[in-house]
Amino acid sequence: MAENEKTKSLESALYSAADALRSKMDANEYKNYELGIIFYKYLSDKLLYQVREDLGTGNETLEECQKLYEENYEDSELQDDLKSTFSYSIDRYHTFTYLIDEINGKAVDEDGKPKTFQITDLADAFNSIESTSKDFDGLFQDVQLYSPRLGNNAQKRTDTIAAVMKAIAPLDVAGNDSDSLGDAYEYLIGKFASESGKKAGEFYTPQRVSELLTKLTLVGKKDNYKDGMHVYDPAMGSGSLLLNFKKYLGPDAGKHIIYYGQEINVSTYNLAKMNMILHGVDSANCDLRNGDTLDEDWPPIADNLFDAVVMNPPYSLHWSANKGFLDDPRFNSYGVLAPKSKADYAFLLHGFYHLKNTGAMAIVLPHGVLFRGAAEGKIRKKLLEDGSIDAVIGLPANLFYSTSIPTVILVLKKDKKDRSVFFIDASKDFEKGKKQNILREEDIQKILDTYEKREDVKRYAHLATFDEIKENDFNLNIPRYVDTFVPEPPVDLKKVAKELTKTQKKIDKNEKELVGMLKELTSDDQDVMDGLHDIIQYFEGDIK
């Protein structure tokens, strides 16, 4: 089977595995169960495949690997190798394969007695993995095994989880290469986001928008990163934006990318950690943090400046805007703070502060950042005077699961040679979907090609000088710079007059026919006949 077909088959099977949960809760809840259990199976299967490599012939099934593991569990050499290979450990009676044997009535304990599956067994397995490394601490906390949503008693909850595990059990999630499994995991996150509605905004940026953001930071710079790069997402969600760099730089450079990300929601932060591991990202190349990006600056600026910063932060979020932030080096050179009711520029300035002089930043924000006044106007003016804003790209409405509003991408740089700003109005290029509009590959490529050439395109793009922007009082509203108005074609009045004459003749003809039919009507009721006479007179007068 071709690699692409294998990935699609895995995607489909993983998505179907959630059937046992769909009738019990919405997607924003059941995603935690399925994604968590898939991740658990991945960790378990990877460990058992290592046991096969150490003790087997290389052809053993997972069930045979499990038997080898149970038989040789006390072997110190085996345990030393597993500890040096993995940053986690799993007891022989806590593997996914052993629990499936329990579910299927095949398992026995160390005394040879039959063992049946209880939901506490899976809870113990999760706890044992979490306790082995700080990287796994709290990773399974959103898989709420004792929730009444799974069933109204212990047995029903056990049956529900057993059904999910049995659906996932036949899938080879560890034998596939990391990119295939990672792509399948991304597919699942996207599917769950589609079903979650507005709640999806907490953890997911649509893949096509994510692709565009990543590629915009690489335009003209890709060759600089053959040996890898440092990338940062201060509002990382599930980590998809960061992982795109690995995809678009290629496998060689991808091995040397250093990822930094911060996320305030602990559930989403855990999802990002799982996503990184399933994409084969080495823990040494990954520094993720659960924290508030605005209230506490991270990472330390002395240690980290980034080749690329990408971000899709929550729009117009309330933040503290405490006056103390006026002394914060992220904000102090602008003299004012983003308003308390709209943190958009606070996120932008945070990301820009952490950008290298040679790097590029791409951030998605609502259109209001282009023209709102007061403090935001002052920040925007300072950025423009410094030549920091490189491009303004208007996107179509209804691209995101969390909002239907049109959005804009701002591209920022620190090493620009002038203060011009390149405007692109891409708001009309998309495919209409059932729930959301979709950027097509040709739409993305058109934006990238136009951005790279930096030349005017009628009704699509314009390179505005600093003087133009200054004349517009530093208002960056796209219609001020890109005229997308398409004039109506000129009206041929002679043709219209001919059509009107032709239509009138048809009306006259129809009225004459109608009068003829009315004259043939008769009635014994004199009132009816008088009425008919009046109607006939009206039409005959009109015809004359």
Side-chain angles (χ1 to χ4, degrees):
M1 186 185 293
E3 197 61 46
N4 192 42
E5 291 176 348
K6 281 173 64 180
T7 302
K8 286 185 176 179
S9 175
L10 182 61
E11 290 171 354
S12 177
L14 288 173
Y15 183 63
S16 297
D19 287 346
L21 297 167
R22 284 195 177 91
S23 62
K24 300 178 183 295
M25 60 193 78
D26 65 33
N28 198 50
E29 292 176 287
Y30 72 67
K31 82 175 191 318
N32 296 326
Y33 290 92
E34 185 169 8
L35 294 175
I37 292 171
I38 291 166
F39 183 67
Y40 161 55
K41 176 172 168 56
Y42 169 81
L43 296 177
S44 175
D45 291 1
K46 289 287 281 187
L47 184 139
L48 289 182
Y49 282 141
Q50 185 62 40
V51 171
R52 179 173 69 184
E53 188 173 316
D54 289 349
L55 302 175
T57 64
N59 297 315
E60 285 85 359
T61 64
L62 280 170
E63 290 73 18
E64 291 167 336
C65 292
Q66 173 65 29
K67 190 173 182 181
L68 281 173
Y69 191 38
E70 290 179 33
E71 291 170 350
N72 297 276
Y73 186 71
E74 304 295 340
D75 185 331
S76 59
E77 286 189 19
L78 172 64
Q79 289 299 333
D80 288 344
D81 182 62
L82 293 177
K83 286 175 184 176
S84 65
T85 304
F86 302 107
S87 59
Y88 61 91
S89 63
I90 303 177
D91 184 271
R92 57 186 158 177
Y93 299 128
H94 285 153
T95 67
F96 186 96
T97 302
Y98 181 79
L99 297 193
I100 285 294
D101 281 347
E102 285 188 344
I103 290 168
N104 292 328
K106 296 179 181 179
V108 293
D109 62 18
E110 53 191 332
D111 297 323
K113 295 178 180 178
K115 186 88 163 54
T116 57
F117 177 69
Q118 299 296 323
I119 208 162
T120 52
D121 297 331
L122 183 56
D124 290 343
F126 287 167
N127 290 334
S128 68
I129 294 171
E130 289 179 336
S131 66
T132 59
S133 166
K134 66 180 182 64
D135 292 333
F136 292 89
D137 184 32
L139 208 55
F140 297 101
Q141 66 182 11
D142 291 309
V143 187
Q144 298 289 324
L145 296 176
Y146 303 108
S147 169
R149 303 297 292 275
L150 296 174
N152 57 18
N153 59 51
Q155 188 56 53
K156 287 185 178 179
R157 291 192 282 273
T158 297
D159 292 343
T160 299
I161 290 298
V164 177
M165 292 179 68
K166 285 180 74 172
I168 294 170
L171 305 177
D172 186 6
V173 298
N176 285 282
D177 66 86
S178 60
D179 286 337
S180 295
L181 179 59
D183 289 346
Y185 206 69
E186 280 285 332
Y187 167 84
L188 272 185
I189 293 171
K191 290 291 285 184
F192 294 150
S194 177
E195 295 176 12
S196 297
K198 289 192 174 183
K199 292 180 181 178
E202 298 173 5
F203 65 88
Y204 190 70
T205 299
Q207 187 52 235
R208 292 287 171 79
V209 179
S210 179
E211 175 186 344
L212 176 59
L213 283 168
T214 305
K215 287 183 173 179
L216 281 167
T217 66
L218 297 175
V219 169
K221 297 176 179 287
K222 199 170 179 181
D223 290 342
N224 300 344
Y225 306 133
K226 290 179 180 177
D227 298 323
M229 62 189 299
H230 287 63
V231 298
Y232 179 41
D233 184 349
M236 69 178 171
S238 62
S240 303
L241 262 170
L242 290 172
L243 287 164
N244 272 341
F245 286 95
K246 182 184 180 198
K247 185 186 298 184
Y248 301 126
L249 276 185
D252 293 333
K255 293 176 185 175
H256 305 292
I257 297 172
I258 308 298
Y259 304 90
Y260 280 77
Q262 184 158 234
E263 171 56 45
I264 192 170
N265 183 297
V266 66
S267 300
T268 308
Y269 161 72
N270 285 330
L271 180 56
K273 287 201 294 184
M274 292 182 194
N275 205 5
M276 288 283 174
I277 292 169
L278 290 170
H279 276 86
V281 176
D282 193 299
S283 60
N285 289 358
C286 188
D287 195 347
L288 307 183
R289 183 174 184 263
N290 176 214
D292 188 323
T293 287
L294 299 182
D295 279 356
E296 186 181 354
D297 185 22
W298 180 87
I301 191 69
D303 300 329
N304 294 288
L305 285 171
F306 298 96
D307 298 296
V309 176
V310 287
M311 210 187 321
N312 177 24
Y315 307 144
S316 300
L317 182 78
H318 282 65
W319 74 303
S320 69
N322 189 293
K323 287 184 179 180
F325 283 122
L326 286 169
D327 297 323
D328 190 309
R330 295 174 293 172
F331 312 123
N332 62 10
S333 61
Y334 297 88
V336 293
L337 297 172
K340 194 171 186 177
S341 61
K342 296 179 180 68
D344 303 314
Y345 271 106
F347 279 110
L348 183 150
L349 294 180
H350 170 88
F352 191 59
Y353 176 68
H354 286 275
L355 185 68
K356 276 185 183 177
N357 285 338
T358 56
M361 172 179 168
I363 181 171
V364 185
L365 291 169
H367 273 257
V369 300
L370 302 178
F371 52 80
R372 291 192 298 244
E376 290 181 299
K378 292 177 182 177
I379 294 170
R380 185 172 61 248
K381 180 181 178 183
K382 170 69 171 161
L383 287 166
L384 290 164
E385 287 176 337
D386 292 345
S388 302
I389 299 177
D390 188 52
V392 175
I393 302 168
L395 297 178
N398 201 31
L399 286 180
F400 299 91
Y401 299 112
S402 54
T403 180
S404 60
I405 65 169
T407 52
V408 62
I409 294 176
L410 295 184
V411 182
L412 297 99
K413 293 181 180 179
K414 292 183 176 178
D415 64 345
K416 283 183 63 189
K417 301 294 187 292
D418 59 39
R419 296 188 289 179
S420 63
V421 177
F422 192 56
F423 290 85
I424 296 176
D425 187 343
S427 61
K428 296 177 178 60
D429 296 336
F430 61 90
E431 177 185 329
K432 193 164 183 61
K434 290 181 180 178
K435 294 182 180 179
Q436 279 76 38
N437 294 328
I438 302 162
L439 283 178
R440 299 161 296 190
E441 284 297 334
E442 58 263 35
D443 302 325
I444 293 172
Q445 198 57 50
K446 181 180 177 183
I447 293 170
L448 294 170
D449 290 344
T450 305
Y451 172 64
E452 186 166 18
K453 290 176 182 176
R454 213 168 173 79
E455 296 173 354
D456 282 17
V457 178
K458 192 174 182 180
R459 288 193 285 274
Y460 185 73
H462 174 63
L463 180 61
T465 64
F466 179 74
D467 287 340
E468 275 184 85
I469 294 166
K470 190 175 180 180
E471 285 173 11
N472 277 298
D473 199 24
F474 301 99
N475 186 319
L476 298 182
N477 204 15
I478 297 173
R480 289 181 178 237
Y481 304 94
V482 182
D483 184 3
T484 59
F485 176 72
V486 180
E488 294 288 335
V491 178
D492 187 339
L493 294 176
K494 288 184 178 180
K495 185 178 180 181
V496 172
K498 285 181 180 178
E499 290 294 330
L500 286 173
T501 301
K502 188 176 178 181
T503 301
Q504 187 59 51
K505 286 180 178 179
K506 286 182 180 178
I507 292 171
D508 291 344
K509 181 183 176 184
N510 290 337
E511 286 183 350
K512 286 178 180 178
E513 291 176 356
L514 176 60
V515 168
M517 288 187 283
L518 290 172
K519 286 180 177 180
E520 293 178 5
L521 295 175
T522 60
S523 174
D524 294 333
D525 188 324
Q526 188 59 43
D527 289 339
V528 172
M529 293 304 295
D530 289 342
L532 279 172
H533 178 71
D534 291 341
I535 294 170
I536 291 168
Q537 277 194 319
Y538 170 79
F539 278 115
E540 285 183 331
D542 187 48
I543 294 168
K544 291 173 184 176

